[in-house]
Amino acid sequence: MIRIVSPLTASTLVVLLLACSGLHANDPATPAQPTRFDLGRPATHADIARLDIDVRPDGTGLPDGGGTADEGRALYEAKCRHCHGEDGRGTPFDRLTGRVEGDAFPFGEDPRAPRSIGSYWPYATTVFDYTRRAMPLERPGSLSDDEVYALTAYLLHLNDLWPAEARLDRDALPKIEMPARDRFVPDDRRGGKEIR
């Protein structure tokens, strides 16, 4: 049964709760909160190096190794298709392939325009970085560098940005010009509302 509480009763209840919480905090039987929990251990340089795997837009951080789109096709079928659909066309998760006609950039006018690797990503190196760091969803970080290069080559190939038989590596990947490369600008705001 729902009952309506009068404002006087409600304010009285709040005062009582505050008073009780203050009494509890001053109760000498209440144990003090610990300053340390003694969980884990300090990270070593090796621990940090294992996690320091970012790849920059200019290719800084790319590892040795390589792979082709043909090699990536089999990996995609085994590890990616169930989430990203046939040929990266999406369903149930993100669409990875598809260019906008004329490589237009209509996202400000049409929020439904597909944000795929071929239409929206400014740097090819970030495909490698994200795939190595976060994919496959159920086992992120489990792919070898060669596998990540092969998957990246396949995804770029599906977007008509890389030939099927060519080997993708640390020298070639940063040189790929993405259609959306010049569509983004660095955020150089200095604390105000300046927007370019």
Side-chain angles (χ1 to χ4, degrees):
M1 179 176 180
I2 299 174
R3 302 182 73 183
I4 298 175
V5 178
S6 74
L8 180 60
T9 306
S11 62
T12 304
L13 181 61
V14 168
V15 169
L16 284 173
L17 288 173
L18 290 173
C20 289
S21 65
L23 288 174
H24 183 71
N26 293 328
D27 184 356
T30 303
Q33 294 295 318
T35 57
R36 293 183 47 120
F37 293 97
D38 291 327
L39 298 174
R41 61 176 171 74
T44 66
H45 290 292
D47 294 331
I48 295 169
R50 195 170 48 252
L51 298 174
D52 184 17
I53 60 170
D54 65 299
V55 174
R56 306 285 170 83
D58 66 358
T60 301
L62 282 169
D64 291 333
T68 67
D70 286 339
E71 295 164 347
R73 182 187 317 272
L75 286 165
Y76 181 87
E77 290 296 320
K79 298 178 182 284
C80 313
R81 180 180 173 162
H82 61 282
C83 287
H84 296 287
E86 182 178 354
D87 296 332
R89 285 182 265 172
T91 306
F93 295 123
D94 292 341
R95 179 177 176 171
L96 303 175
T97 60
R99 304 266 291 270
V100 175
E101 187 174 341
D103 288 329
F105 201 70
F107 303 99
E109 296 83 30
D110 183 3
R112 296 168 300 166
R115 287 176 166 82
S116 70
I117 291 170
S119 68
Y120 199 74
W121 289 42
Y123 304 106
T125 53
T126 57
V127 180
F128 182 97
D129 180 82
Y130 186 79
T131 302
R132 178 168 66 164
R133 182 181 309 280
M135 294 290 127
L137 184 62
E138 66 276 10
R139 294 190 62 214
S142 63
L143 299 170
S144 72
D145 291 340
D146 287 341
E147 289 175 323
V148 178
Y149 273 117
L151 278 170
T152 302
Y154 181 60
L155 294 173
L156 293 171
H157 172 69
L158 290 175
N159 283 283
D160 298 323
L161 295 166
W162 187 251
E165 67 284 349
R167 186 174 190 268
L168 188 65
D169 59 18
R170 68 187 309 171
D171 294 325
L173 185 57
K175 295 175 184 167
I176 297 173
E177 290 239 0
M178 302 294 279
R181 184 176 193 137
D182 297 326
R183 305 291 190 167
F184 293 86
V185 295
D187 184 351
D188 60 356
R189 288 174 287 181
R190 300 282 187 257
K193 283 191 164 187
E194 180 183 346
I195 298 174
R196 291 188 287 159

